[in-house]
Amino acid sequence: MIRLPTRPLRAFTAAVAAAGLALAGCAGGTGGASVADPGRGAVAAAAAPPARGPFVAAANPLAVEAGLKVLRAGGSAVDAAVAIQAVLGLVEPQSSGLGGGAFIMVFEAATGEITSYDGRETAPAAATPELFQENGRPLGFGEAVLSGRSTGAPGAVAALAMAQEAHGRLPWSALFGEAERLARDGFAVSPRLAGFIAATRGQARTRWADAYFTRADGERYVAGDVLRNPAYAETVAELAAGGAEVFYRGRVAREIAAVVAEEPRPGALTAADIAAYAPIERGALCRPWRIYVICVPPPPSSGVAVLQLLAMAERTPDIGLGPDSPEAWAAFAQLQRLMYADRDRYVGDPGFVRVPVQGLLDPAYVAERAALAPGLTGAAEAGTPPGGVFAGPDATLEPAGTSHLVVVDAEGNAVSMTTTVESVFGSGRMAAGFFLNNQLTDFSFSPTRADGGPAANAAAPGKRPRSSMAPIIILDREGRLVGALGSPGGTSILAYNARALIAVLDWGLPMQEAFDLPNLVARGDGFGADTDRFSQSLREGLAARGVALRPNDSETSGLHGGIWRRGPDGWSWDGGADDRREGVARTH
């Protein structure tokens, strides 16, 4: 298989870096203890065997079974991730697919090395900062999504191909059989997919979606109906036989470009833009937290914001009071306000803007920001971290349309991958059997701020939009795998991931119980939440502390992951799949 063009950076070696990072100090940390215990706390490193699979958690049982089938055949975690994504793109097209992008974190058990693969979509060569403006004013968001301008060069396939070339064990051609079979023979429409198909406007009602989701009798597909997609079967068969090269430089690329060029508001993405797409191999961004090391992708992922929030939480004693404490939830909300203010101001594509990653995580700066939390009474202002250059704020929206998967293979190699088409069904346009992304609407619609300064996340040729996607791998201080998790959720991903990490590693909850906790998202001056999941006493306690909950208007969470824990029957994977979605976590 031909490797696509890359701009490789040196991968992060977790075993070495974790030891070095531990010396920097970690408030609340306890030194050498390492692997998660069923209760709060941990056990000594020597007591834990290496974490090994099989383990798969993803948002649809058919995709999970496809991954397990690959693992049973001797495939690696990355091999399984390829198969899972191929099936997810068919059975959960509202969330991810071959036409979208992804961030992939890979842990290599033999070396302790973590590598991240940036499969974020890129803007076409003809893109300008005014991409979503007409007559000097921003387009309405819905108009922008449904336009051809919203689609960037897709990156998920290229990133998976790069990762599989480096970490795969099975032939690439052997990874698409389940997706091709389900596309040709059909699969049962799930209740969640049926709910999105039934929408009366937006991407579910484009002419492409109407053609795909309307039965021969003129009615829309409903839950339980068998949906076939021969065009998707042809595409994955071609992809299996020819590798990613044929996807980016053949029929599929030409079909994508042709659909993008159609009305309304044709886009500028060309087959040449798609052929020029290059995934990026990056290192991982890792920092100690409690007795663990948390690893995320570097920008344009917003993983740095999760690390910043966790670092502030270590300086906020109320966080440790647990899930039944209104003080803990109120403190968590205030820290989010600070985190989001900094993320919105500074994070963008590092190839185009200077992102002060080290400054945002600088201990003195973190302490300064955490100290502001108790006195906040509204939206927080961005701080000035060391190395920070004011480049925002911007007007960026990130709606629903994302998924997360975790895989661990028999050797203990792991994948944590967040994957997306951006909005539900992406742009609503289809080519070669799959929906196209509307990822470019993740750029700021306004290229400047009120005083004329540039927005960090303004569009530009070849630029990657900032992303809230932040797949996570958890290590102990010896650099060994402890767990992995992640979530969809648009901008709320950062809150969902941080809440899950705190609930599992600080509050000591089982993974499923942690995932099913209520969500609370504080970006700006409001508090969005799963209001019906908060008890009356918690709602009253939060209100008394100035945290008045309202229903969350962001995409709901879809946390998936697992942690290596000792239970009554020995060491095993404690997995979870968010009950707000249709996923499962399985070891066989």
Side-chain angles (χ1 to χ4, degrees):
M1 184 173 61
I2 299 174
R3 177 186 282 267
L4 293 167
T6 67
R7 291 189 294 159
L9 298 178
R10 185 179 179 185
F12 175 91
T13 304
V16 174
L21 287 167
L23 299 177
C26 178
T30 57
S34 60
V35 182
D37 195 72
R40 179 167 177 155
V43 299
R52 302 189 187 282
F55 174 78
V56 177
N60 185 283
L62 294 172
V64 170
E65 177 55 33
L68 287 170
K69 187 173 182 179
V70 167
L71 295 180
R72 293 185 201 112
S76 70
V78 172
D79 291 332
V82 175
I84 292 166
Q85 176 66 92
V87 172
L88 282 177
L90 175 69
V91 302
E92 198 197 25
Q94 70 271 19
S95 296
S96 73
L98 305 182
F103 286 94
I104 309 166
M105 297 279 285
V106 179
F107 172 79
E108 193 75 29
T111 63
E113 185 174 271
I114 295 181
T115 307
S116 68
Y117 295 91
D118 177 348
R120 186 65 161 159
E121 297 87 341
T122 54
T128 69
E130 294 76 29
L131 180 64
F132 295 114
Q133 297 211 338
E134 286 186 356
N135 301 317
R137 301 178 65 87
L139 286 173
F141 189 73
E143 292 177 310
V145 168
L146 294 171
S147 76
R149 303 179 196 178
S150 69
T151 298
V157 171
L160 283 167
M162 180 186 283
Q164 200 271 341
E165 184 176 355
H167 306 282
R169 285 200 292 267
L170 298 181
W172 172 266
S173 60
L175 307 178
F176 298 89
E178 198 69 5
E180 182 181 357
R181 181 186 67 79
L182 288 167
R184 290 196 188 282
D185 297 346
F187 63 95
V189 173
S190 72
R192 191 165 188 271
L193 174 56
F196 288 114
I197 290 174
T200 58
R201 57 191 176 88
Q203 297 93 295
R205 292 292 173 167
T206 63
R207 65 179 181 82
W208 296 272
D210 280 342
Y212 183 42
F213 291 137
T214 301
R215 302 182 312 210
D217 63 3
E219 299 295 322
R220 306 283 278 192
Y221 283 91
V222 297
D225 285 349
V226 175
L227 179 58
R228 295 177 177 84
N229 189 337
Y232 192 87
E234 179 184 357
T235 292
V236 294
E238 188 175 320
L239 180 58
E245 185 81 12
V246 301
F247 185 95
Y248 285 87
R249 296 178 174 86
R251 171 189 66 89
V252 174
R254 293 190 296 271
E255 289 192 21
I256 292 172
V259 169
V260 166
E262 295 189 31
E263 295 286 354
R265 294 184 174 88
L269 184 73
T270 66
D273 290 318
I274 297 169
Y277 181 83
I280 301 177
E281 177 186 332
R282 302 188 190 271
L285 179 61
C286 298
R287 287 295 184 274
W289 183 66
R290 305 297 188 197
I291 57 174
Y292 305 99
V293 175
I294 309 299
C295 296
V296 297
S301 161
S302 294
V304 60
V306 176
L307 297 181
Q308 184 193 35
L309 190 148
L310 293 175
M312 289 189 293
E314 283 196 311
R315 292 159 174 83
T316 308
D318 282 353
I319 292 289
L321 296 176
D324 298 322
S325 165
E327 293 89 351
W329 285 103
F332 179 54
Q334 299 291 56
L335 296 181
Q336 284 185 56
R337 283 176 157 176
L338 294 158
M339 173 269 290
Y340 276 116
D342 281 356
R343 191 292 296 257
D344 293 352
R345 173 76 71 174
Y346 294 110
V347 176
D349 184 342
F352 291 78
V353 297
R354 190 171 80 187
V355 184
V357 171
Q358 301 306 322
L360 289 168
L361 301 177
D362 179 80
Y365 179 71
V366 166
E368 171 191 318
R369 295 295 278 166
L372 298 175
L376 281 178
T377 57
E381 294 291 331
T384 308
V389 177
F390 266 33
D394 59 46
T396 302
L397 297 172
E398 293 181 57
T402 305
S403 199
H404 188 82
L405 63 94
V406 167
V407 187
V408 184
D409 64 27
E411 304 301 317
N413 307 304
V415 170
S416 186
M417 173 177 171
T418 310
T419 172
T420 186
V421 289
E422 183 57 6
S423 292
V424 173
F425 302 131
S427 68
R429 301 178 182 220
M430 294 186 77
F434 55 83
F435 283 97
L436 305 185
N437 71 81
N438 67 293
Q439 213 64 254
L440 300 190
T441 59
D442 263 2
F443 283 123
S444 174
F445 278 33
S446 176
T448 60
R449 63 186 189 217
D451 64 4
N457 195 36
K463 189 175 182 180
R464 288 162 153 80
R466 182 185 69 208
S467 176
S468 290
M469 294 190 290
I472 290 166
I473 286 181
I474 308 164
L475 308 175
D476 65 18
R477 290 299 185 90
E478 305 301 317
R480 302 183 309 166
L481 180 67
V482 171
L485 61 83
S487 181
T491 56
S492 299
I493 286 173
L494 309 176
Y496 299 156
N497 284 355
R499 189 261 292 162
L501 288 167
I502 289 169
V504 172
L505 301 179
D506 195 2
W507 298 345
L509 297 182
M511 188 66 77
Q512 188 63 54
E513 188 176 333
F515 286 177
D516 295 342
L517 284 174
N519 289 317
L520 195 164
V521 181
R523 184 184 183 212
D525 58 3
F527 302 99
D530 296 328
T531 51
D532 58 339
R533 294 196 181 212
F534 278 95
S535 67
Q536 182 66 29
S537 61
L538 270 178
R539 287 198 299 269
E540 292 174 355
L542 285 167
R545 290 162 177 82
V547 181
L549 302 181
R550 57 170 174 75
N552 190 8
D553 59 5
S554 177
E555 179 185 2
T556 188
S557 59
L559 287 150
H560 292 90
I563 191 163
W564 186 242
R565 271 183 164 157
R566 185 180 60 190
D569 300 320
W571 289 89
S572 63
W573 283 99
D574 170 23
D578 203 318
D579 68 356
R580 300 164 182 85
R581 306 243 173 167
E582 297 173 329
V584 294
R586 291 176 50 193
T587 57
H588 59 275

